[in-house]
Amino acid sequence: MSRIETLADAFYTELQDIYSAEQQLLKALPRMSKKASCEKLTKALNDHLEQTKNQVERVAQAFEDTGKAAKAKKCEAMAGLIREAEEMMAEEADADVADAILIGLAQKVEHYEIATYGTLCTWAQSLGYSNAKKLLGQNLDEEEKADKLLTTLSKSSNAAANV
Ligand SMILES: [Fe+2]
Ligand SMILES: [Fe+2]
């Protein structure tokens, strides 16, 4: 393990983490959208999959400001979130309840991404990485919108679920 001495080192490490997290999500999102019953939820998850493809590209471009190679370092937090999601999705549940659970799982993922992009944007600003800040800010914006949409969908899916 190399030593993290500067904020620039920390930024590079964190960028490798989110690069991995987004790549893991590219694989997990199709399984989640397949599990959804509500059409709006399926669409939201599929739309976010398309966004995620662009996000991976933006993260790759954000490495340019660091002057170092774009590479991923396994994000254990995202691996854990996805593992938990797989476990929950394997449970038997009524369709509306399953959708409510799915939304909760997706929102945990969004919140992790929002936290990481928030940190990265603040650090990019401090480091003068203006291009990275712009790119990562776009990703942050998309994650926040995705999270808000999920909250809206959660209200209608909860109303339909057996309470
Ligand atoms: Fe993302
Ligand atoms: Fe996301």
Side-chain angles (χ1 to χ4, degrees), residues 55-82:
Q55 291 176 356
V56 169
E57 285 308 309
R58 289 193 199 110
V59 173
Q61 288 170 26
F63 276 98
E64 282 173 23
D65 275 342
T66 71
K68 291 180 187 167
K71 60 176 191 186
K73 177 173 166 286
K74 189 181 177 189
C75 173
E76 294 292 352
M78 186 58 73
L81 285 170
I82 291 172

Side-chain angles (χ1 to χ4, degrees), residues 22 25 48 52 55 113 117 143:
E22 294 287 13
L25 262 178
H48 201 52
T52 301
Q55 291 176 356
E113 292 180 303
Y117 282 124
E143 310 297 14

Side-chain angles (χ1 to χ4, degrees), residues 1-18:
M1 201 182 281
S2 59
R3 206 175 134 74
I4 298 173
E5 288 177 346
T6 63
L7 188 63
D9 295 340
F11 180 90
Y12 184 57
T13 304
E14 195 68 11
L15 202 56
Q16 291 175 70
D17 174 278
I18 198 70

